[in-house]
């Protein structure tokens, strides 16, 4: 069964760090580009970070550039390292894998930044 599972969210103080992971199973993950999105209460879904299927190309939202880093091991996982977290980063984070014949969403992991 094709599946994406997002994990790593939690409660962290401002300035802290979290590492999100998106793990794939049941399909050829290495052929897929992966995007992390987030949705905060009352706001539209926002693209956070993108990585191409071969890992050579990345892109970030202006609001996270320089603080977040997306990476992949290309076998099964994509990671989102989040440093210098701010209260405005509080949201549900989702990963999305898109490639030849694939279009899958993970279930989301909650990130809360609060003192």
């Amino acid at each position: 069964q094709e599946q994406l599972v997002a994990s790593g969210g939690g409660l962290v103080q401002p300035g802290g760090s979290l590492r999100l992971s998106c793990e794939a199973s049941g399909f050829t993950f290495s052929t897929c580009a992966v995007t992390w999105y987030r949705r905060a209460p009352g706001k539209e879904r926002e693209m956070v970070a993108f990585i191409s299927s071969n890992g050579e190309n990345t892109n970030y939202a202006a609001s996270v550039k320089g603080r977040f880093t997306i990476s992949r091991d290309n076998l099964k996982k994509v990671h989102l390292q989040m440093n210098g977290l701010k209260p405005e980063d509080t949201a549900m984070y989702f990963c999305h894998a898109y490639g030849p014949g694939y279009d899958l969403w993970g279930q989301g992991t909650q990130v809360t930044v609060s003192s």
Side-chain angles (χ1 to χ4, degrees):
Q1 182 181 357
E2 300 169 356
Q3 194 174 14
L4 275 180
V5 177
S7 62
L11 172 64
V12 64
Q13 291 187 343
S17 298
L18 283 173
R19 189 186 195 213
L20 305 185
S21 294
C22 178
E23 183 168 6
S25 60
F27 66 102
T28 311
F29 189 56
S30 60
T31 66
C32 296
V34 176
T35 304
W36 282 97
Y37 293 89
R38 67 186 180 188
R39 177 177 280 140
K43 294 188 177 181
E44 296 289 321
R45 187 179 67 193
E46 175 187 20
M47 189 283 285
V48 177
F50 163 89
I51 189 164
S52 59
S53 58
N54 61 9
E56 292 183 357
N57 296 303
T58 59
N59 193 27
Y60 298 91
S63 57
V64 308
K65 203 166 188 177
R67 299 187 296 123
F68 291 11
T69 303
I70 191 169
S71 62
R72 65 188 303 160
D73 65 14
N74 229 32
L75 294 177
K76 286 186 178 295
K77 288 188 179 181
V78 165
H79 305 287
L80 185 66
Q81 179 67 42
M82 306 188 297
N83 299 327
L85 283 161
K86 303 176 181 180
E88 51 264 42
D89 294 318
T90 295
M92 184 70 77
Y93 284 70
F94 301 87
C95 56
H96 176 235
Y98 182 79
Y102 303 116
D103 186 351
L104 294 101
W105 288 88
Q107 85 287 5
T109 185
Q110 177 67 37
V111 172
T112 302
V113 185
S114 175
S115 55

